[in-house]
Amino acid sequence: MTNTIAERILDFLKGFPPFDYLSYDELLHISTQIKVLYYEKGDHIFKQNEALHDYFYVVKDGAVGLYSDNTLIDECDEGDIFGLRAVIRKDLYLLNAIAEEESIIYGIPAKSIDDIIINNLQANQFILASFATNTRHPYSSENKGKLFANETILQPNASSFTEVQSASFSKNPITCQPIITIKEASVIMSQSNIGSIIITENNRPIGIITDKDLRHKIATGKHDISEHVTAIMSAPVITFPKHITVAEAQIAMLNHGISHLCITKDGTINSELVGILSEHDIIVIHGNNPSVLIKEIKRASSANQLQMIMQKAQLLMKNYIEQNIPVGFITNIISAINDAITKRCIQLSIDELQEELPTSFAWLAIGSQGRKEQLLLTDQDNALVYENVQNDAVVKSYFLRLSKAVNNKLNVVGFEFCPAEMMASNPKWCLSVSQWKAQFKNWITHPDEDKILLCNIFFDYDFVFGNHDLVDQMSDSIFEAIDNYEIFLNFMGRNALRNPPPLSFFRNFLVEDSGDHKDQFDIKARAIMPLVDAARLLILSHEIKDINSTMARYKKLGDLEPQNKDLYDSCINAFRILLRFRTQHGLKRNDSGRFIDIKNLNKNDRLKLKGCFKPVKDIQELVKIRFKLSQLL
Amino acid sequence: MKWFKRDLKYPKFYRHYKAAFNHKINDLDAVRFVVFDTETTGLDPKSDRIISIGTVAVQAFEINVYDSLECYVKQEHFNKDTVQIHGLLKAGNITKLEEKDAIIAFLAHIKNSVLVAHHAAFDIAMVNEALKRMGLPKLKNKVIDTGKLYQKTKYIKDHKHYSLDELCNTFNIRMHDRHTASGDAFLTALIFLKLSSLLKKKSKNLKLKDFMHWF
């Protein structure tokens, strides 16, 4: 019998792994078993410690956030699977799943996962790999179809980061002899405040007891606490050598359905126990990783060392992008690293000059660096502000020398010199507070096209190093000047609309019609910048300072204008997708990722991009109306 | 025993259908809703015929794809003007049932469920006419009209006619398979979930009757 609904669901699912590995019939069978669920923003799909549902979930429309307590761990959007770990482990939910926006979710019966695992090796490998890498899309699109098991991930190359780093395990595991009673073992566990104990014989692990065993085997009355530990221990234990990688450990835990691995001297059960690795240890490793880089940065003593660290950070970022880790998370990490590197460059330069600081100053990142939206290495954009002084010429000369040294170091690290000289070593952008104020006032009260462009770059400044108070003074002066000359916002608004919505009436892409990039789509000018410019304009009109990133700005705008929150949320979403898109393209082609060849996009990407344009159009409409631009245009 | 005798004049499948209404369900989460749509040869219930029926069941405000019906009806009566809309040709290559058998399958599927349709009056009338041709009384089910339900959720009352397309646009539901009975039933089901959720927000202790009384 025909089942149009199931076929439509199939059409959707087959675009996403692991469903794309299944045959038409397998997938149709699953599709006919599905439940379609609707959630309002804020609704729980499942809660931490809730009993297992009979379903795991795929996001059809909308977005679902996975939270551990109140911390966002991951965000799932269209095609992403969640709630699978609990189903496979037949365990309680470890996370809260909350609809981040209005969402339609497909519930897929838990029993069909068995069909997938048993019947389809590739789908099975995908699922294991997605657990091992802690992401839902362990393969980059280029690698799609390759088998996980052909060791590319089990023996990964140097580019992946946490997954290949050796898992650090607990070195002094608590052990006991096989002859002691369950009660005695429990007392040891309780006193040592641990959830597991290893039973050893001649220092070799022969079994393990965990809290779960006590729950299932003792509390249920199946065994008595006076029996020997051997009565309830799980044996044999699963052992690994010391240099086990995080990926291997996670796969082993999943394959065996266990939460602890024993680390032995030679990796077999016949050698001495040296440690224990728990699921918890792995979570800790995943959380800590970028902080290792930051520590290295703080210790670096030369620009060349920083350059090496930067390369690692770029590999880390590439890996994150390939694994579809949320862009917000990646930008946070990369910004933190860029920030730390710049700080270190400044500190090293100050030390090098061997002069006393003539007065306090602040180093500013501007443009996309200021907005913390830079993922790929690009030109450096920065500026410097120092306190008002009597002997301005002397002080300025010091800060110009300092800036020159910092700019040189950043160049070594990989941030190339800005061809437009938007750098602190340029005397135009190395000014005292009052000079900056005068400059801003001039831009605001006598705006022309060039000055608006400068505003767009300089108003996105972010404090990096030095005296924060100076930056506050600058911000205040901007708002003061705007207050006295409100028409400036209209000019800025007009500028924000200079690029028309990227869709023509025929729902086709507007592509560049001349120049080197003929027939290519300028994702930066036509999609990203309109969102960035609108966010800046709107946040300035609310006189909010210190929020520089476009996503954070829209979030704040949503709080300030609840009636427009949906639109602002959709802008955040679109921005996130566009930024990922651009970064992916840039990585693939080793350029800025700005121009996209529409013809070479697959359908899914094209739809994804198109979906981003409606918010662009809507936000431009809002700007047009709010700043009464129809008559100005 | 008068009712019993009267009952006997009906065929077995209808007695089955009728008997299902002896069970009353009060808990809203236990109510089975069957969202359905019919594609027809035209807009006149008297002279036009059902081309196809599509349904999908909703329970506890979850759409159960496995609990659905999709059937196509053999046509004697054929209106070539509507083919363009539905794309259903008189002799397509889909398995088709006689009208009578489609209705039997439909009754067996819906049982005593609450029926949900967009502008339900028309679809109900189409089914009732088919029942009439079989010498049977009208449908006994309670009916919810998503068009009217939508008006109920709005603060400003109006009596505008809201098409399924308009509601899909309003609620940001991506449309596909428009103008197939199953496709429209599925879209209607999604709209029904959204409307229910709006209603739940308005009234804490939602009852079935809140879906039915709109004035």
Side-chain angles (χ1 to χ4, degrees):
Chain A
M1 203 174 80
T2 358
N3 191 337
T4 310
I5 300 172
E7 281 169 26
R8 275 327 137 245
I9 291 170
L10 178 148
D11 280 344
F12 172 79
L13 290 179
K14 76 174 183 217
F16 301 96
F19 305 105
D20 53 352
Y21 300 121
L22 303 183
S23 72
Y24 183 88
D25 288 341
E26 282 169 336
L27 195 49
L28 185 63
H29 177 71
I30 290 172
S31 301
T32 54
Q33 303 300 310
I34 273 172
K35 275 205 307 195
V36 182
L37 312 165
Y38 168 78
Y39 294 94
E40 291 270 332
K41 183 177 177 174
D43 287 350
H44 276 86
I45 293 107
F46 51 74
K47 292 184 179 168
Q48 217 160 339
N49 294 325
E50 191 175 270
L52 190 58
H53 298 182
D54 291 334
Y55 294 82
F56 67 96
Y57 301 97
V58 176
V59 181
K60 165 63 173 55
D61 289 313
V64 171
L66 301 177
Y67 293 82
S68 167
D69 298 315
N70 291 318
T71 316
L72 181 69
I73 301 288
D74 200 357
E75 197 168 73
C76 308
D77 59 17
E78 199 174 300
D80 288 336
I81 296 176
F82 64 98
L84 187 59
R85 190 206 68 92
V87 164
I88 291 187
R89 297 291 298 267
K90 299 191 173 38
D91 202 356
L92 303 175
Y93 288 103
L94 286 184
L95 300 173
N96 290 309
I98 301 173
E100 303 270 84
E101 53 191 69
E102 191 179 39
S103 300
I104 294 172
I105 309 289
Y106 289 158
I108 302 180
K111 59 177 166 19
S112 53
I113 199 69
D114 295 335
D115 298 344
I116 297 175
I117 288 186
I118 293 162
N119 295 335
N120 193 301
L121 181 64
Q122 281 170 303
N124 177 7
Q125 302 293 5
F126 171 87
I127 288 166
L128 286 179
S130 65
F131 280 118
T133 54
N134 231 357
T135 64
R136 295 173 312 271
H137 298 283
Y139 312 116
S140 61
S141 52
E142 299 93 304
N143 299 335
K144 207 171 257 179
K146 273 190 200 162
L147 258 185
F148 161 66
N150 63 11
E151 293 174 323
T152 47
I153 294 185
L154 276 178
Q155 294 177 355
N157 51 39
S159 73
S160 49
F161 210 84
T162 49
E163 288 67 41
V164 291
Q165 104 186 22
S166 292
S168 61
F169 47 86
S170 314
K171 299 250 162 41
N172 296 307
I174 305 295
T175 61
C176 66
Q177 298 293 313
I179 41 139
I180 74 166
T181 65
I182 295 165
K183 184 181 172 186
E184 287 166 314
S186 302
V187 169
I188 298 174
M189 287 167 71
S190 167
Q191 279 168 351
S192 329
N193 203 11
I194 49 167
S196 64
I197 190 164
I198 297 172
I199 294 91
T200 54
E201 212 166 32
N202 303 327
N203 266 337
R204 281 178 292 182
I206 60 167
I208 183 169
I209 294 178
T210 65
D211 280 344
K212 205 172 163 184
D213 294 313
L214 299 178
R215 243 183 359 254
H216 290 309
K217 297 170 186 168
I218 303 301
T220 54
K222 282 183 190 154
H223 291 271
D224 193 87
I225 54 169
S226 59
E227 291 178 49
H228 284 158
V229 283
T230 45
I232 63 162
M233 71 183 188
S234 306
V237 293
I238 307 300
T239 54
F240 272 91
K242 273 193 242 178
H243 48 77
I244 182 172
T245 66
V246 175
E248 286 173 305
Q250 280 188 303
I251 291 165
M253 286 179 185
L254 278 163
N255 273 338
H256 297 286
I258 54 173
S259 54
H260 295 79
L261 300 175
C262 290
I263 308 298
T264 60
K265 217 166 187 174
D266 71 0
T268 71
I269 50 171
N270 299 318
S271 69
E272 194 183 321
L273 178 74
V274 292
I276 182 160
L277 179 66
S278 71
E279 213 173 16
H280 177 257
D281 294 329
I282 288 178
I283 293 165
V284 170
I285 292 167
H286 275 289
N288 273 347
N289 180 39
S291 64
V292 176
L293 282 182
I294 303 257
K295 272 185 203 146
E296 282 183 41
I297 291 169
K298 286 183 179 156
R299 282 196 298 264
S301 58
S302 72
N304 286 327
Q305 272 179 26
L306 288 171
Q307 187 216 354
M308 307 279 282
I309 299 169
M310 193 66 203
Q311 282 176 356
K312 277 197 218 169
Q314 286 286 303
L315 286 171
L316 172 70
M317 192 268 296
K318 185 168 181 248
N319 215 32
Y320 281 163
I321 287 279
E322 279 175 2
Q323 292 169 0
N324 260 333
I325 284 168
V327 159
F329 175 78
I330 307 175
T331 49
N332 284 346
I333 287 179
I334 296 302
S335 309
I337 288 170
N338 288 351
D339 211 55
I341 285 186
T342 311
K343 277 184 181 143
R344 191 67 198 146
C345 286
I346 297 167
Q347 192 58 56
L348 289 172
S349 304
I350 292 174
D351 296 348
E352 247 171 48
L353 287 183
Q354 293 186 330
E355 286 172 60
E356 203 168 318
L357 273 179
T359 180
S360 78
F361 77 102
W363 184 272
L364 307 171
I366 57 178
S368 67
Q369 275 172 6
R371 289 192 305 273
K372 299 183 187 293
E373 286 159 11
Q374 210 166 43
L375 289 176
L376 301 166
L377 277 170
T378 54
D379 306 340
Q380 45 176 306
D381 291 322
N382 41 53
L384 190 145
V385 54
Y386 53 88
E387 221 156 342
N388 299 328
V389 284
Q390 298 292 326
N391 50 343
D392 188 72
V394 181
V395 172
K396 183 164 180 150
S397 116
Y398 171 85
F399 283 118
L400 283 173
R401 273 180 285 136
L402 175 67
S403 301
K404 186 86 211 154
V406 177
N407 289 153
N408 282 337
K409 287 198 168 52
L410 288 172
N411 186 50
V412 172
V413 170
F415 298 101
E416 286 180 19
F417 291 125
C418 173
E421 296 266 330
M422 298 282 186
M423 295 186 291
S425 56
N426 181 340
K428 274 159 82 183
W429 317 129
C430 177
L431 303 173
S432 72
V433 177
S434 56
Q435 288 162 351
W436 273 115
K437 283 183 179 174
Q439 174 119 285
F440 285 153
K441 194 170 173 199
N442 174 278
W443 290 351
I444 289 167
T445 52
H446 299 91
D448 61 24
E449 207 162 303
D450 289 344
K451 287 174 187 169
I452 294 278
L453 279 178
L454 289 171
C455 290
N456 283 344
I457 296 166
F458 281 90
F459 286 6
D460 288 339
Y461 55 69
D462 184 38
F463 168 81
V464 177
F465 187 97
N467 180 357
H468 199 289
D469 186 47
L470 301 174
V471 182
D472 283 340
Q473 291 183 40
M474 284 169 72
S475 303
D476 293 342
S477 79
I478 293 178
F479 293 124
E480 205 175 299
I482 292 176
D483 270 350
N484 293 328
Y485 199 76
E486 271 183 33
I487 188 92
F488 168 75
L489 289 179
N490 300 58
F491 279 101
M492 219 171 171
R494 188 166 60 167
N495 185 268
L497 300 181
R498 68 193 181 276
N499 285 307
L503 283 178
S504 74
F505 286 109
F506 304 102
R507 291 191 67 74
N508 288 320
F509 280 95
L510 273 179
V511 291
E512 305 312 306
D513 48 14
S514 59
D516 284 353
H517 298 287
K518 193 171 178 310
D519 293 333
Q520 289 191 327
F521 175 70
D522 184 345
I523 193 174
K524 182 182 172 197
R526 294 210 182 267
I528 296 178
M529 288 322 283
L531 287 173
V532 170
D533 289 344
R536 178 190 310 109
L537 171 64
L538 292 165
I539 211 85
L540 276 176
S541 75
H542 280 286
E543 306 199 0
I544 305 289
K545 59 181 175 187
D546 286 344
I547 299 185
N548 294 317
S549 99
T550 303
M551 286 187 270
R553 281 173 171 169
Y554 280 119
K555 192 164 184 313
K556 182 74 186 173
L557 287 167
D559 295 342
L560 293 169
E561 303 169 19
Q563 71 276 21
N564 292 322
K565 191 167 186 323
D566 286 351
L567 170 58
Y568 295 141
D569 283 349
S570 68
C571 289
I572 296 177
N573 219 359
F575 187 80
R576 208 160 38 203
I577 293 171
L578 291 165
L579 194 58
R580 175 190 296 281
F581 217 92
R582 181 178 174 187
T583 310
Q584 268 168 341
H585 265 256
L587 284 172
K588 203 191 288 177
R589 297 189 320 209
N590 223 354
D591 63 12
S592 72
R594 176 169 176 173
F595 291 97
I596 290 178
D597 191 354
I598 299 299
K599 281 189 221 87
N600 289 336
L601 289 183
N602 63 36
K603 190 173 175 226
N604 213 349
D605 284 347
R606 226 181 294 188
L607 285 176
K608 242 187 170 166
L609 263 191
K610 268 190 179 179
C612 295
F613 297 153
K614 191 168 183 296
V616 175
K617 185 166 171 281
D618 292 348
I619 197 78
Q620 290 200 337
E621 280 300 310
L622 183 143
V623 165
K624 200 190 267 176
I625 292 163
R626 184 167 300 179
F627 297 95
K628 302 181 191 68
L629 292 169
S630 26
Q631 57 271 54
L632 272 172
L633 286 173
Chain B
M1 293 310 262
K2 205 179 161 199
W3 61 270
F4 187 64
K5 266 187 212 156
R6 196 178 57 211
D7 246 24
L8 276 182
K9 71 182 179 196
Y10 297 132
K12 196 175 166 195
F13 73 86
Y14 192 82
R15 294 205 304 274
H16 252 279
Y17 165 67
K18 206 172 162 231
F21 288 86
N22 295 336
H23 301 279
K24 290 271 176 288
I25 295 166
N26 294 317
D27 178 8
L28 196 55
D29 274 352
V31 174
R32 177 172 176 258
F33 297 92
V34 171
V35 188
F36 82 110
D37 183 59
T38 59
E39 297 305 323
T40 60
T41 57
L43 294 172
D44 181 357
K46 299 268 180 230
S47 60
D48 283 303
R49 293 290 184 270
I50 295 172
I51 301 173
S52 65
I53 306 177
T55 81
V56 65
V58 171
Q59 193 156 1
F61 300 100
E62 300 176 350
I63 303 174
N64 293 322
V65 176
Y66 49 86
D67 190 1
S68 64
L69 178 74
E70 181 166 356
C71 53
Y72 296 84
V73 180
K74 285 184 191 161
Q75 295 304 313
E76 297 312 319
H77 181 110
F78 188 66
N79 180 347
K80 68 176 182 346
D81 297 333
T82 55
V83 168
Q84 280 184 316
I85 298 180
H86 310 305
L88 291 176
L89 280 166
K90 200 175 167 190
N93 48 6
I94 312 168
T95 333
K96 289 177 179 167
L97 305 173
E98 296 293 342
E99 181 182 79
K100 177 172 72 70
D101 296 322
I103 294 296
I104 291 173
F106 182 64
L107 293 188
H109 171 69
I110 62 172
K111 303 186 186 73
N112 65 340
S113 302
V114 175
L115 295 179
V116 181
H118 196 69
H119 300 309
F122 174 74
D123 301 278
I124 296 288
M126 287 303 299
V127 176
N128 281 341
E129 283 300 323
L131 284 165
K132 198 168 158 191
R133 285 189 285 277
M134 295 160 73
L136 293 170
K138 292 178 176 178
L139 285 170
K140 300 170 64 63
N141 307 64
K142 288 181 180 154
V143 178
I144 293 172
D145 182 330
T146 44
K148 289 182 178 165
L149 199 58
Y150 174 56
Q151 293 186 347
K152 194 179 159 70
T153 61
K154 297 205 312 171
Y155 292 96
I156 307 155
K157 294 273 176 280
D158 59 29
H159 294 278
K160 200 174 162 271
H161 179 101
Y162 290 96
S163 72
L164 192 55
D165 296 77
E166 277 173 292
L167 288 200
C168 285
N169 277 327
T170 305
F171 290 116
N172 229 340
I173 294 174
R174 269 182 261 170
M175 286 177 276
H176 41 54
D177 303 306
R178 268 299 269 128
H179 304 301
T180 68
S182 278
D184 281 1
F186 188 55
L187 294 175
T188 309
L190 288 171
I191 286 170
F192 179 61
L193 292 190
K194 296 209 177 198
L195 291 172
S196 306
S197 148
L198 287 174
L199 277 184
K200 277 189 213 162
K201 267 194 219 157
K202 280 190 163 187
S203 122
K204 284 249 147 53
N205 190 14
L206 202 61
K207 297 267 186 353
L208 185 55
K209 69 170 167 42
D210 297 319
F211 289 85
M212 329 284 294
H213 299 180
W214 15 80
F215 300 112

